[in-house]
Amino acid sequence: GEDVEQSLFLSVREGDSSVINCTYTDSSSTYLYWYKQEPGAGLQLLTYIFSNMDMKQDQRLTVLLNKKDKHLSLRIADTQTGDSAIYFCAESFNSGNTPLVFGKGTRLSVIA
Amino acid sequence: DAGITQSPRYKITETGRQVTLMCHQTWSHSYMFWYRQDLGHGLRLIYYSAAADITDKGEVPDGYVVSRSKTENFPLTLESATRSQTSVYFCASMAGGSYNEQFFGPGTRLTVL
């Protein structure tokens, strides 16, 4: 079945690295996504990774994908107070034309 | 305005009343979605639409009705609102294809008294 699991909360100090983890169950996933939701707003795509990649780096963001363990992680280097938000992991499937499956979201709190 | 918009942004209604939440997108995206967001449940898909006049149920469709007569609009109607439908509702759209970025509206906070 389709299921995406994330831990619900993470707290880090400003300047430290944050690592948000996600596990998924469907090995046919083609793309995996990280969305960010700031307070009072909708979700915005932060980054994504294609399933044939192991890693993707984008400025302070590093996405790691372990297909064998069906594990996805998002690392935010030098975490800032502006990174405080809810981060959602999501997956899409072969056809592409099906709704994304979202995790419940991880609330990241950054302590100054 | 370009993008995806939702109206109203805030709504208070009473149990038993009919409420319609509007969603409009300017990209001519084929796909549109309605989600509700509740503490402890994350985002749950209510209904989605692959094109005008094509709609499909999501995870939690009971008590909701959708229609899509035009590509750019996807209204969500609560036919007889219940307290359990108090939530934040998000509309999203997507072009379709193998890479599926969904674009989200700002949300409607609905309170049913």
Side-chain angles (χ1 to χ4, degrees):
Chain A
E2 304 163 357
D3 203 6
V4 177
E5 299 282 343
Q6 302 177 240
S7 53
L8 295 182
F9 301 98
L10 178 65
S11 182
V12 299
R13 292 202 176 275
E14 192 174 21
D16 288 351
S17 291
S18 308
V19 180
I20 302 170
N21 294 301
C22 168
T23 57
Y24 60 97
T25 54
D26 198 310
S27 58
S28 65
S29 297
T30 50
Y31 284 92
L32 293 134
Y33 305 81
W34 284 104
Y35 280 79
K36 179 182 180 182
Q37 183 184 29
E38 296 187 354
L43 279 70
Q44 281 193 304
L45 182 67
L46 196 59
T47 187
Y48 68 93
I49 188 167
F50 188 51
S51 58
N52 68 354
M53 297 169 66
D54 297 323
M55 185 182 90
K56 180 179 180 182
Q57 189 144 1
D58 184 2
Q59 299 183 327
R60 292 190 297 123
L61 305 177
T62 303
V63 179
L64 295 177
L65 176 59
N66 181 330
K67 284 197 76 174
K68 175 175 167 288
D69 295 337
K70 298 190 184 70
H71 183 265
L72 181 73
S73 68
L74 173 70
R75 179 177 180 269
I76 305 173
D78 186 26
T79 312
Q80 302 298 307
T81 54
D83 295 323
S84 293
I86 304 175
Y87 291 82
F88 290 89
C89 172
E91 59 178 342
S92 67
F93 302 98
N94 282 328
S95 72
N97 295 322
T98 54
L100 298 182
V101 178
F102 286 89
K104 288 187 167 61
T106 299
R107 184 179 294 273
L108 174 64
S109 297
V110 182
I111 306 162
Chain B
D1 289 334
I4 182 164
T5 56
Q6 293 183 236
S7 61
R9 293 293 314 278
Y10 302 91
K11 176 76 177 176
I12 299 174
T13 191
E14 293 176 336
T15 303
R17 290 194 181 263
Q18 184 180 79
V19 176
T20 296
L21 309 183
M22 304 301 292
C23 178
H24 175 78
Q25 51 106 355
T26 61
W27 297 298
S28 299
H29 282 168
S30 296
Y31 290 82
M32 295 188 76
F33 308 87
W34 276 107
Y35 296 89
R36 59 177 291 175
Q37 185 177 27
D38 305 285
L39 203 61
H41 291 282
L43 282 175
R44 290 185 290 177
L45 182 66
I46 304 170
Y47 270 97
Y48 68 103
S49 168
D53 297 322
I54 301 174
T55 62
D56 223 333
K57 293 180 181 179
E59 183 186 352
V60 288
D62 293 343
Y64 302 95
V65 174
V66 292
S67 61
R68 193 154 176 224
S69 56
K70 291 185 179 181
T71 300
E72 62 266 31
N73 296 324
F74 191 39
L76 176 74
T77 298
L78 288 67
E79 292 192 299
S80 177
T82 64
R83 289 200 180 112
S84 64
Q85 292 176 310
T86 292
S87 186
V88 181
Y89 291 85
F90 288 99
C91 178
S93 72
M94 177 179 89
S98 60
Y99 169 64
N100 281 345
E101 180 176 355
Q102 284 188 201
F103 295 84
F104 283 79
T108 295
R109 183 175 292 275
L110 176 68
T111 302
V112 183
L113 301 176

